[in-house]
């Protein structure tokens, strides 16, 4: 990996993954510019970095152009939890598409390398299992998840076309469900919901019969892979990044109940529209090209996440958006 000090822009840098990425890059000595509009995050996520001379926080919306000189760009700005991205779906499409256009324009002008945080959602409700990068997906273009799925798919298209047409140096990773400390406790994602509900001994909201599956990656493993992808020569992607250990959502509920020693009871709620039935990354390419393999098991990562949830004042976080009502 490069030891040179670089000027690095992280869009969405105050978010769950972005704040950890900024932290790592600051620790490596890089000059880090964190750009965020704080739609789904709060300044407290990066408060501890504000007094570092190599960290700068910029309030800005990626749908609007911005000019700065940088060597690398990590494009993470986009609401990621279903409740968040469905809150204002039109804005979600604009964030993905105009945001990608703006960072690609900047990368073209500066000669910067630019990485897109894409998603397993580009596979939709997959008919191929596990999902390799060569699978084109099964996405509903007009449903309630489409603003996110199709927005991210167009962003991938823009990245590939800027690479082909303008020779921009791009990277695309497809991130599968990632969890860990600093997730917004009210983001509505399954890990944060289950932990919060268990710690408060409130009912656990299991959507559908709980037999749908996800494969959960701990955030430290994920951030490690993002940085490797950015700094590996000759690998454009898309590359899947995730933990291939697959669990039913019912199993996740049972593990969370056990680790929190909670008295919560499971209540069944309707499955949201277009909820993918199965999801598991094929990470052959990440292993081969990045020499990367996730090392944190689900119980191990959940223990750390639960410890963080216990350490915060959950009631001081406002539920920012309606959550599947
Ligand atoms: P997050 O919501 O915590 O972070 C997203 C950040 O982007 C927030 O700080 C938010 O305020 C900011 N943002 C949103 N719209 C913006 C805009 N228009 N202008 C500027 N900033 C804006 O979510 P996260 O889990 O940290 O996700 C980060 C990225 O990774 C997203 O692009 C997401 O699609 C992708 N991703 C995450 C996961 C996951 O499981 N965590 C899975 C797949 C893909
Ligand atoms: N889910 C659930 N209860 C909740 C929140 C989510 O059963 O309180 C389910 C949801 O229906 C989905 C899975 O958990 O099948 C993962 O949901 P999440 O919103 O975390 O992520 P995504 O669907 O985007 O993978």
């Amino acid at each position: 990996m490069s030891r040179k000090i670089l000027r690095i822009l992280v869009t969405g840098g105050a978010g769950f993954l972005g704040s950890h990425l900024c932290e790592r890059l600051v620790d490596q000595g890089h000059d880090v510019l964190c750009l965020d509009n704080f739609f789904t995050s709060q300044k407290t996520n990066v408060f501890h970095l504000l007094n570092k001379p190599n960290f700068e926080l910029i309030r800005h919306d990626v749908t609007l152009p911005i000019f700065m000189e940088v060597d690398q760009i990590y494009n993470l700005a986009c609401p990621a939890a279903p409740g968040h991205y469905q809150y204002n779906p039109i804005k979600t499409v604009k964030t993905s598409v105009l945001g990608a256009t703006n960072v690609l324009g900047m990368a073209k002008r500066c000669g910067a390398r630019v990485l897109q945080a894409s998603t397993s959602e580009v596979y939709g409700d997959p008919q191929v299992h596990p999902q390799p990068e060569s699978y084109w997906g099964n996405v509903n273009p007009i449903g309630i998840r489409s603003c996110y799925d199709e927005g991210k798919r167009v962003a991938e298209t823009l990245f590939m076309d800027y690479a082909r047409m303008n020779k921009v140096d791009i990277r695309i990773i497809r991130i599968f469900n990632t969890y860990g400390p600093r997730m917004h406790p009210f983001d509505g994602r399954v890990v944060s919901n289950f932990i919060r509900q268990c710690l408060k001994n409130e009912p656990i909201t299991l959507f559908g019969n709980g037999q749908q599956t996800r494969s959960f990656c701990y955030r430290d493993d994920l951030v490690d892979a993002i940085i490797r992808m950015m700094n590996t020569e000759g690998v454009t992607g898309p590359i899947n990044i995730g933990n291939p250990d697959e669990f039913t959502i019912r199993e996740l509920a049972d593990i969370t109940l056990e680790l929190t020693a909670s008295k919560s009871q499971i209540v069944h709620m309707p499955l949201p529209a277009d909820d993918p039935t199965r999801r598991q990354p094929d990470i052959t390419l990440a292993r081969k090209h990045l020499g990367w393999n996730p090392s944190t098991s689900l119980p191990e990562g959940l223990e750390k996440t639960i410890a963080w949830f216990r350490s915060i004042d959950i009631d001081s976080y406002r539920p920012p958006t309606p959550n599947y009502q």
Side-chain angles (χ1 to χ4, degrees):
M1 255 177 233
S2 168
R3 298 219 170 160
K4 219 173 105 192
I5 293 178
L6 301 172
R7 292 161 303 174
I8 304 179
L9 169 65
V10 181
T11 76
F16 160 53
L17 293 177
S19 61
H20 288 287
L21 178 61
C22 285
E23 205 169 279
R24 284 268 196 111
L25 297 171
V26 165
D27 285 347
Q28 289 176 357
H30 297 296
D31 196 359
V32 178
L33 299 154
C34 167
L35 181 154
D36 209 296
N37 72 349
F38 304 109
F39 171 46
T40 58
S41 57
Q42 47 281 316
K43 275 189 218 155
T44 48
N45 282 352
V46 289
F47 189 70
H48 58 297
L49 299 175
L50 288 177
N51 64 352
K52 307 265 185 186
N54 57 337
F55 180 80
E56 202 174 327
L57 181 59
I58 302 152
R59 182 188 283 267
H60 184 78
D61 193 306
V62 283
T63 59
L64 302 168
I66 186 165
F67 288 82
M68 52 180 69
E69 312 305 317
V70 292
D71 304 302
Q72 292 185 343
I73 306 167
Y74 291 87
N75 188 36
L76 272 63
C78 187
H84 285 165
Y85 67 66
Q86 288 162 19
Y87 176 71
N88 184 343
I90 297 167
K91 179 65 193 267
T92 300
V93 175
K94 288 183 181 174
T95 296
S96 272
V97 177
L98 299 177
T101 313
N102 287 329
V103 295
L104 284 161
M106 187 190 298
K108 182 182 166 194
R109 184 175 52 77
C110 306
R113 181 173 290 176
V114 55
L115 178 144
Q116 169 66 0
S118 191
T119 168
S120 52
E121 285 283 324
V122 299
Y123 302 120
D125 190 5
Q127 289 171 334
V128 170
H129 193 79
Q131 294 80 55
E133 293 81 350
S134 55
Y135 177 50
W136 290 354
N138 176 37
V139 175
N140 175 358
I142 56 169
I144 56 169
R145 295 177 89 100
S146 313
C147 58
Y148 184 70
D149 302 8
E150 298 290 16
K152 289 283 188 179
R153 284 166 69 98
V154 173
E156 284 199 13
T157 308
L158 282 165
F159 268 69
M160 293 304 296
D161 283 331
Y162 266 78
R164 281 187 286 253
M165 198 173 154
N166 296 321
K167 308 295 171 229
V168 172
D169 188 7
I170 64 148
R171 300 285 185 274
I172 301 172
I173 53 166
R174 293 181 177 155
I175 303 172
F176 284 65
N177 296 62
T178 303
Y179 68 98
R182 234 180 262 159
M183 295 183 84
H184 195 294
F186 293 99
D187 65 12
R189 289 189 255 207
V190 69
V191 172
S192 27
N193 269 8
F194 284 3
I195 294 179
R196 202 189 68 244
Q197 291 160 347
C198 281
L199 291 182
K200 288 182 164 277
N201 292 313
E202 288 171 357
I204 297 188
T205 51
L206 189 63
F207 297 166
N209 62 10
Q211 291 310 300
Q212 69 273 34
T213 69
R214 295 292 186 273
S215 307
F216 298 97
C217 186
Y218 187 62
R219 61 115 217 258
D220 289 1
D221 287 330
L222 197 280
V223 171
D224 185 35
I226 299 185
I227 295 176
R228 277 176 193 242
M229 181 70 182
M230 178 64 104
N231 295 291
T232 301
E233 296 305 320
V235 184
T236 300
I239 287 198
N240 289 337
I241 305 292
N243 189 321
D245 295 343
E246 186 184 8
F247 292 86
T248 65
I249 298 304
R250 171 65 204 230
E251 284 170 332
L252 176 74
D254 290 337
I255 298 170
T256 312
L257 273 167
E258 193 184 323
L259 292 178
T260 51
S262 172
K263 297 189 185 66
S264 293
Q265 303 287 320
I266 290 176
V267 294
H268 287 270
M269 293 179 68
L271 192 67
D274 296 336
D275 200 283
T277 316
R278 300 180 75 186
R279 186 183 282 160
Q280 182 189 32
D282 177 334
I283 59 165
T284 309
L285 290 184
R287 287 185 174 126
K288 183 174 164 199
H289 294 299
L290 309 180
W292 176 83
N293 210 31
S295 60
T296 313
S297 70
L298 182 61
E300 206 183 330
L302 282 177
E303 291 263 25
K304 293 180 188 175
T305 311
I306 291 164
W308 181 78
F309 270 75
R310 285 190 197 280
S311 76
I312 59 168
D313 175 12
I314 291 180
D315 295 324
S316 70
Y317 287 78
R318 262 183 318 129
T321 60
N323 175 20
Y324 292 127
Q325 285 164 353

